[in-house]
Amino acid sequence: MEAPLYPDFPLDPSTPRGGQPAFWVGPRHLAGDDGRLYDVVADSLDGLGWTSLTIVRGRHEPDEAPEDRQVLRSTVLHISPDTLRWAQWSLADEPFHLGELPIAWQISARVETSSPLAQWSAYFTSDVPGEAVTDFLVALDARDQPAVPFVGPELVLDAVAAHGWFRDIDQPEAAATDPTFTSHISLGEVPPLIQDGDPRALTTEADEAGPAGWQAWAEPVLGAPCLWAASFSAGVPHDVVAVFAAALSSTAPVLRRVLPEATQERLLRAPAI
């Protein structure tokens, strides 16, 4: 069973960050994003040399003061130096939903610069641990060919199994869950609107199985809304997904000030001194 190491130090997500003490917490997959998913990922991309662009859409009337301009939508786009991979922060841009949660980051890659279309895309909602998204991007950045698969899917399940996750009894080669049965990862049919370069993703009939991709999610209470969700289209290289899975399931504690309300009672925590 998991319980707070220091229950006398309550963590209230509604309290402003400036008044919150820092804690080392675990397990990581239930620790949330500390309300800093954009900052953590964007800082890492800046360190990798990716270029950031901000696109603001709005309505501007003649003779209207700048402060009165109505901003309708905005997007922050980060592009790798070779322009073969990009990451879009879409939370402020009316994103579509995954597991009833709005998408926060969409990460894509293409085979060559002459193609305007992504070969694959990966999607992450808020409260996916920033450490896992960052490791995913670092692994993607290190690849010479971001859209070419090198290994099979077994690497993903090996990554979580190495950290104590259990393989599914019925699908040992396609699914696993953490020891508390709250977080899951599986290889199977992808949700609607997940973009992939495989044309079968667009031509599959309702009664046919399309290309399989990895899905991960945390459901702290059975039947309740998910804490977070991540979806990888069929073309995402398995070795890059494995890096995400390893970071997500890591037993190393993470530093947090704000914890998700749904998982506070499930987390081990100790003050960061």
Side-chain angles (χ1 to χ4, degrees), residues 145-254:
Q145 299 174 298
V148 178
F150 295 144
V151 297
E154 65 278 355
L155 193 64
V156 176
L157 295 180
D158 288 345
V160 295
H163 293 150
W165 286 36
F166 303 133
R167 292 177 182 263
D168 187 270
I169 296 177
D170 298 322
Q171 305 177 77
E173 301 305 319
T177 185
D178 80 285
T180 66
F181 300 98
T182 55
S183 296
H184 314 266
I185 189 166
S186 68
L187 179 64
E189 184 177 359
V190 299
L193 303 180
I194 299 301
Q195 299 178 14
D196 191 79
D198 190 329
R200 292 177 299 164
L202 300 176
T203 61
T204 302
E205 300 294 336
D207 57 347
E208 295 178 340
W214 288 100
Q215 315 301 313
W217 67 97
E219 187 179 16
V221 179
L222 187 63
C226 291
L227 171 64
W228 57 260
S231 182
F232 305 85
S233 73
V236 182
H238 298 297
D239 58 295
V240 185
V241 180
V243 172
F244 168 83
L248 177 71
S249 60
S250 173
T251 57
V254 290

Side-chain angles (χ1 to χ4, degrees), residues 37-47 78 105:
L37 187 57
Y38 175 77
D39 293 333
V40 169
V41 174
D43 288 348
S44 297
L45 292 175
D46 287 344
H78 299 257
W105 280 104

Side-chain angles (χ1 to χ4, degrees), residues 46-64:
D46 287 344
L48 293 172
W50 289 36
T51 300
S52 63
L53 304 172
T54 301
I55 304 170
V56 178
R57 304 175 180 90
R59 183 179 295 111
H60 185 65
E61 300 295 337
D63 301 323
E64 183 181 32

